Amino acid sequence: EEIDAATEISETTRHILTDPQTSGGLLVACDAARADDLVAEIRAAGFAAARRIGRVEAGPPRLRVECGGAPVG
């Protein structure tokens, strides 16, 4: 399986995080050097809960879910 999830994450939460029906409109990808500015723009537009939540890394397809900033595995 290409998903590593922290043990604190319930199976239900894992399904919500990986379901394309619930995640498609919630994520925006951009250059890492621009990420903080983009989050600030989104917040200024009225979306106070906007957060920088991840990054893209080279390698085979894989999703790693961390809990409280602690890496899984």
Side-chain angles (χ1 to χ4, degrees), residues 55-71:
R55 64 184 175 273
V56 176
E57 299 177 347
R62 183 165 220 69
L63 172 66
R64 181 174 64 197
V65 179
E66 299 176 354
C67 187

Side-chain angles (χ1 to χ4, degrees), residues 5-61:
T7 56
E8 298 87 7
I9 297 173
S10 71
E11 189 70 14
T12 299
T13 299
R14 182 177 172 274
H15 286 296
I16 291 170
L17 288 170
T18 59
D19 182 350
Q21 296 178 84
T22 60
S23 63
L26 303 175
L27 300 176
V28 174
C30 70
D31 186 283
R34 172 103 171 82
D36 291 334
D37 291 337
L38 181 58
V39 170
E41 289 179 34
I42 294 169
R43 287 181 182 166
F47 300 93
R51 298 288 185 272
R52 186 174 179 177
I53 63 164
R55 64 184 175 273
V56 176
E57 299 177 347

